[in-house]
Amino acid sequence: MITIMCKRKSTGDYLSATIVQSTRSDARKRNPVATKEALLDAARTEFQRMGYEAASTRNIASEAGCNAALINRYFGSKIGLLEAVMEECIDLTPLDGMPPNEMVAALVDIALGKANPTSGFDPMVVAIKSSGSEEAQEVIRSKLGNPMVEQLASLIGGDNADQKAGLLLSIVSGMFVGRVSVDADALSADHNDALRELIFKAMMAVLVSGS
C-alpha cells in the first residue's frame, strides 16, 4: 500500500496521518513558532471532528494551551486558520512514474482507507464536514480541491486529464460519504475484497478512456 505523504510537518499522508498533539507546556513557552504549531495541531483535530462552522476557536486555543486572541494574532481569523491547516497538505508525487494499473491500485487503497477516517488528520474529511459553509468551501477549493486535481492531472497527462483526475478523486471522497456519512452496509470494510475489484475497474475505465 502506498503512503501519500504531506509536505507540512504533522499533516501526514493524503488520507491517513498521525496528529501530534502539542502539550500545554509547549504553548506556554510563548515561543511564536511553537504556539502557532500548537494551534495548527489543535485546529486539525477540531476541524476534522466538527467541520468548519461548528469548530470552536475557544476549544482550539484551549487544546493549544493559549489564549484565543492568539488565533487572530497569528492567523488573522478562524478562516485564516483553516487556510493554514489546508496549506500544502497534499502531495501525490509518490504516484509519479507508476503505470496506470499501479496508480489505480494505489488510489483504491486510499479510497478503502476511508473505513477509519478518524485515525489521523484527513483533509478530505474536513472538506466534506465543512461543505455547508461557503466561506470554508472557497478555501477548500483553492487549497485542497484544485491543487489535488492539478497534481493528479499532471501525473495522468493526455487528453481530459483534469476531468479524469477529478472523477478519480471523486470516487475516493465518495467512499467517505458512503461509509461514514451514509453508513451504507454494502460499502463496509467487510466487503473490501469485492469493493477493491469494483473500484479498480471503475477507476481504470476512467483513466484509460480516450487512450
Side-chain angles (χ1 to χ4, degrees), residues 13-48:
D13 73 24
Y14 167 12
L15 299 178
S16 175
T18 300
I19 299 175
V20 179
Q21 295 290 349
S22 296
T23 63
R24 291 174 179 270
S25 61
D26 288 335
R28 289 197 183 105
K29 292 178 182 178
R30 294 299 176 229
N31 179 311
V33 174
T35 301
K36 288 177 71 174
E37 279 301 319
L39 285 168
L40 286 169
D41 285 341
R44 291 179 189 112
T45 301
E46 181 74 359
F47 287 141
Q48 177 157 307

Side-chain angles (χ1 to χ4, degrees), residues 21-209:
Q21 295 290 349
S22 296
T23 63
R24 291 174 179 270
S25 61
D26 288 335
R28 289 197 183 105
K29 292 178 182 178
R30 294 299 176 229
N31 179 311
V33 174
T35 301
K36 288 177 71 174
E37 279 301 319
L39 285 168
L40 286 169
D41 285 341
R44 291 179 189 112
T45 301
E46 181 74 359
F47 287 141
Q48 177 157 307
R49 184 172 65 91
M50 302 299 297
Y52 176 75
E53 287 284 7
S56 165
T57 54
R58 289 184 180 274
N59 287 348
I60 293 170
S62 176
E63 287 299 313
C66 64
N67 191 291
L70 291 179
I71 292 176
N72 290 337
R73 176 183 297 181
Y74 293 127
F75 303 101
S77 61
K78 180 180 174 181
I79 197 66
L81 182 57
L82 179 65
E83 288 180 355
V85 165
M86 289 293 181
E87 190 72 39
E88 296 184 354
C89 65
I90 299 301
D91 181 14
L92 299 178
T93 55
L95 298 175
D96 193 12
M98 286 185 175
N101 62 320
E102 291 184 13
M103 180 183 292
V104 167
L107 291 172
V108 172
D109 282 339
I110 293 170
L112 292 177
K114 305 312 295 178
N116 185 23
T118 59
S119 62
F121 177 66
D122 184 336
M124 291 187 75
V125 172
V126 177
I128 293 167
K129 287 190 174 183
S130 303
S131 60
S133 167
E134 291 185 10
E135 185 180 36
Q137 278 301 297
E138 182 56 36
V139 170
I140 291 164
R141 185 179 301 110
S142 64
K143 300 294 184 182
L144 183 69
N146 287 335
M148 284 170 58
V149 170
E150 290 168 6
Q151 283 191 41
L152 186 55
S154 69
L155 299 177
I156 293 172
D159 295 336
N160 302 317
D162 287 345
Q163 288 69 41
K164 290 179 180 180
L167 284 171
L168 292 173
L169 292 170
S170 293
I171 294 172
V172 172
S173 61
M175 285 303 298
F176 172 81
V177 175
R179 282 185 155 176
V180 181
S181 298
V182 178
D183 194 22
D185 291 337
L187 298 179
S188 72
D190 293 337
H191 304 292
N192 267 3
D193 289 342
L195 289 169
R196 183 178 300 279
E197 181 179 356
L198 291 169
I199 297 171
F200 183 87
K201 289 180 178 179
M203 286 187 167
M204 281 299 296
V206 171
L207 191 60
V208 303
S209 63

